């Protein structure tokens, strides 16, 4: 059966969607780092749990940023989510070089965590820019 797909709403261009997605990634990373620092200083979690918290922050930040970019661009989900993760990883590398003098430790694990978060979004069932699918249409 032939169906005509109508574009509803305004979609952003891919560069704008990527930029907004990476900004969201960095903001979620900053908020997660602040929350983790507060949890460590209040002795809720120990310093040995810091690595697990960082891995969760990276997956969550890349997932939320890629989802934002995909929902804003409304096309090419796999490519947009992976590009968002790649630009986010490059931003993390640049921040490491700028602020920490280029002490690259654990960057392979960081890349894997970002890839996992973006892959979750790439294969998550999103329809019409929303997470929950719409109603099923009854054909008569």
């Amino acid at each position: 059966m032939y169906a005509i797909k109508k574009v509803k709403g305004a979609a952003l261009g891919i560069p704008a969607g990527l930029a907004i997605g990476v900004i969201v990634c960095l903001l979620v990373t900053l908020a997660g780092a602040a929350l983790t620092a507060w949890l460590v200083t209040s002795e809720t979690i120990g310093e040995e749990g810091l690595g697990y918290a960082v891995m969760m922050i990276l997956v969550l930040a890349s997932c939320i940023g890629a989802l934002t970019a995909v929902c804003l661009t409304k096309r090419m989900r796999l490519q947009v989510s992976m590009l968002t993760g790649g630009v986010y990883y490059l931003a993390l590398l640049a921040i490491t070089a700028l602020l920490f003098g280029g002490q690259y430790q654990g960057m392979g694990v960081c890349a894997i965590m970002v890839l996992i978060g973006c892959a979750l979004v790439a294969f998550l069932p999103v329809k019409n820019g929303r997470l929950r699918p719409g109603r099923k249409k009854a054909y008569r």
Side-chain angles (χ1 to χ4, degrees), residues 87-132:
V87 174
Y88 172 57
Y89 183 69
L90 289 177
L92 289 176
L93 283 175
I95 290 170
T96 301
L98 184 66
L99 299 179
F100 301 110
Q103 296 177 353
Y104 299 109
Q105 296 175 349
M107 296 311 291
V109 176
C110 176
I112 290 171
M113 293 297 123
V114 170
L115 179 69
I116 288 172
C118 293
L120 284 174
V121 172
F123 300 114
L124 193 69
V126 177
K127 288 189 176 181
N128 298 331
R130 296 180 298 179
L131 270 177
R132 54 184 165 60

Side-chain angles (χ1 to χ4, degrees), residues 3 8 14 16 21 24 34 39-40 48 50 59 67-68 78-79 83-85 95 99 105-107 109 113 129-130 139:
K8 296 182 180 179
I14 292 177
V24 168
L39 288 173
V40 169
E48 61 275 355
L50 207 59
V59 170
L67 184 64
T68 302
L78 178 65
Q79 291 89 347
L83 278 174
T84 304
I95 290 170
L99 299 179
Q105 296 175 349
M107 296 311 291
V109 176
M113 293 297 123
R130 296 180 298 179
Y139 294 105

Side-chain angles (χ1 to χ4, degrees), residues 2-137:
Y2 183 78
I4 298 174
K5 293 183 179 182
K6 295 182 180 178
V7 177
K8 296 182 180 179
L12 286 179
I14 292 177
L18 285 177
I20 293 172
V22 171
I23 289 171
V24 168
C25 284
L26 292 174
L27 289 176
V28 170
T29 303
L30 187 64
L35 178 67
T36 304
W38 179 74
L39 288 173
V40 169
T41 56
S42 66
E43 297 180 1
T44 305
I45 61 171
E47 291 181 16
E48 61 275 355
L50 207 59
Y52 297 113
V54 169
M55 287 192 294
M56 287 182 2
I57 290 169
L58 287 173
V59 170
L60 185 68
S62 63
C63 197
I64 291 174
L67 184 64
T68 302
V70 165
C71 288
L72 288 176
T73 57
K74 296 182 182 178
R75 60 183 178 273
M76 297 194 306
R77 265 183 28 199
L78 178 65
Q79 291 89 347
V80 169
S81 66
M82 290 300 163
L83 278 174
T84 304
V87 174
Y88 172 57
Y89 183 69
L90 289 177
L92 289 176
L93 283 175
I95 290 170
T96 301
L98 184 66
L99 299 179
F100 301 110
Q103 296 177 353
Y104 299 109
Q105 296 175 349
M107 296 311 291
V109 176
C110 176
I112 290 171
M113 293 297 123
V114 170
L115 179 69
I116 288 172
C118 293
L120 284 174
V121 172
F123 300 114
L124 193 69
V126 177
K127 288 189 176 181
N128 298 331
R130 296 180 298 179
L131 270 177
R132 54 184 165 60
R135 291 189 209 168
K136 292 185 178 179
K137 294 184 180 181

